[in-house]
Amino acid sequence: MDSIFQKSGYIHPLLSSSGDTLSRIQPPDHYHHYGIWGPWTHTQIEGERVDFWNLVERQGTVLFKDFNDTFSGPVYGGFSAHQEHINLKAEEDNRIALNENLEVKVWDLGQPDRYMVDYTSQFNSPLENGILFEAYRYGGGLGMRFTERWHKDNCTVLTSEGNDRLSADGTNARWCMVTGESANGQGTNGVLFLSYPENKSHPEPMRIWPIDGNGGRGDMFFEFCPIRHEEWKIEPNKDYRLKYRMVVFEGKLTADEAESYWKSFAEMPKIVKE
């Protein structure tokens, strides 16, 4: 469509254990949607708005710069990547608004129908006066555009607070589970999203597309959005962190299982002397 939509710094495809593709990039309705990604939307730099999410605005983008590290072993494998949030409106030597180190770990749970992904974003701003993340329903955190197979009739949502697809948008939760029909139509699979207690605005606000969205299809988009209800001032040269976990599963996950996964993520193991 346009070179402005050329992008890196995202994850796709996210696969279920059976090989179903659960994520989607560049859908015709939103060319700027890229699988799993987390650009900030309404920001202010020196009093001027810069949008890193809506690429068509030509204001900002997020691009992969380099790998800090890659690692692999019998329990988990992954990488740490340096990503740059680029202000396209600024002079060439002042375009880096945020430096981000994104660490991704994929865990082998020893189960044929489940695995786990840790997604940790650490970032800071080199700008003299930092950057302001305005309160908005999209931006930052962890966003995922789901497969085109899923729509209002074959995809469900459940949050830690008991909200569903009709009521979850704009609410806060410790975890959110998205389940949809498998590619062969014979079962289901999905993703459980977990927010860490130290995250901004935890339990975290969410953006979940309305069931009648996209011309009535009800396509699925999910995001943990820490600035949904409250702005966030990022001070210069100060480190910030957002930490998430995804449990990718076949079949179904119960609410009790989801709560157990969240507790094991949120509470550090304790060593007890007997």
Side-chain angles (χ1 to χ4, degrees):
M1 295 296 294
D2 191 302
S3 61
I4 193 66
F5 293 108
Q6 290 179 347
K7 177 142 174 55
S8 57
Y10 64 93
I11 295 174
H12 174 78
L14 182 73
L15 302 177
S16 74
S17 299
S18 65
D20 282 2
T21 298
L22 302 182
S23 56
R24 187 182 189 187
I25 63 170
Q26 294 183 320
D29 51 78
H30 291 76
Y31 282 111
H32 58 279
H33 280 195
Y34 276 90
I36 298 170
W37 84 125
W40 301 95
T41 310
H42 287 183
T43 79
Q44 285 188 32
I45 298 175
E46 302 295 348
E48 185 175 22
R49 176 169 285 176
V50 180
D51 187 334
F52 298 90
W53 179 289
N54 294 291
L55 300 176
V56 71
E57 301 293 336
R58 301 177 185 273
Q59 296 178 8
T61 190
V62 182
L63 298 177
F64 167 85
K65 180 67 174 179
D66 201 1
F67 282 115
N68 302 315
D69 191 19
T70 60
F71 38 86
S72 181
V75 179
Y76 67 81
F79 62 85
S80 171
H82 180 199
Q83 302 185 158
E84 294 179 334
H85 298 236
I86 300 169
N87 176 8
L88 298 174
K89 301 167 73 175
E91 297 294 330
E92 195 71 38
D93 61 352
N94 199 38
R95 285 192 161 189
I96 307 304
L98 290 170
N99 283 301
E100 177 187 18
N101 287 318
L102 176 65
E103 184 178 82
V104 174
K105 288 183 178 179
V106 180
W107 296 82
D108 180 1
L109 298 179
Q111 298 176 257
D113 59 347
R114 296 178 189 177
Y115 70 93
M116 204 160 63
V117 182
D118 282 350
Y119 182 103
T120 303
S121 171
Q122 294 182 297
F123 56 92
N124 60 57
S125 175
L127 301 176
E128 182 179 356
N129 294 311
I131 181 172
L132 177 68
F133 300 153
E134 297 179 357
Y136 191 60
R137 67 180 181 273
Y138 293 102
L142 171 66
M144 180 170 172
R145 178 65 188 265
F146 281 86
T147 170
E148 61 272 25
R149 299 193 315 273
W150 291 4
H151 49 77
K152 66 181 187 301
D153 298 322
N154 67 0
C155 177
T156 63
V157 168
L158 178 66
T159 78
S160 58
E161 312 311 302
N163 288 301
D164 60 14
R165 181 78 188 270
L166 294 175
S167 59
D169 182 49
T171 66
N172 293 30
R174 301 185 307 279
W175 55 260
C176 180
M177 179 164 43
V178 181
T179 307
E181 187 177 79
S182 56
N184 62 14
Q186 303 301 306
T188 57
N189 43 40
V191 182
L192 171 67
F193 298 92
L194 309 172
S195 169
Y196 194 64
E198 294 178 4
N199 285 0
K200 171 74 171 174
S201 302
H202 179 89
E204 215 161 325
M206 296 169 292
R207 173 57 172 159
I208 294 173
W209 270 1
I211 204 163
D212 59 352
N214 277 24
R217 267 185 49 89
D219 293 347
M220 186 62 207
F221 171 85
F222 167 83
E223 183 186 9
F224 270 133
C225 184
I227 45 75
R228 169 122 198 198
H229 305 304
E230 179 179 78
E231 67 180 28
W232 191 6
K233 180 59 168 44
I234 303 304
E235 301 295 342
N237 301 309
K238 180 180 176 181
D239 291 332
Y240 297 82
R241 184 177 75 165
L242 292 168
K243 185 175 178 179
Y244 303 98
R245 174 169 286 176
M246 294 171 278
V247 181
V248 184
F249 60 90
E250 299 283 356
K252 293 185 178 180
L253 211 62
T254 67
D256 286 344
E257 286 178 305
E259 185 67 18
S260 178
Y261 275 117
W262 182 79
K263 286 181 178 177
S264 67
F265 177 50
E267 301 170 4
M268 291 293 292
K270 294 180 175 62
I271 299 174
V272 178
K273 184 177 181 180
E274 295 184 354

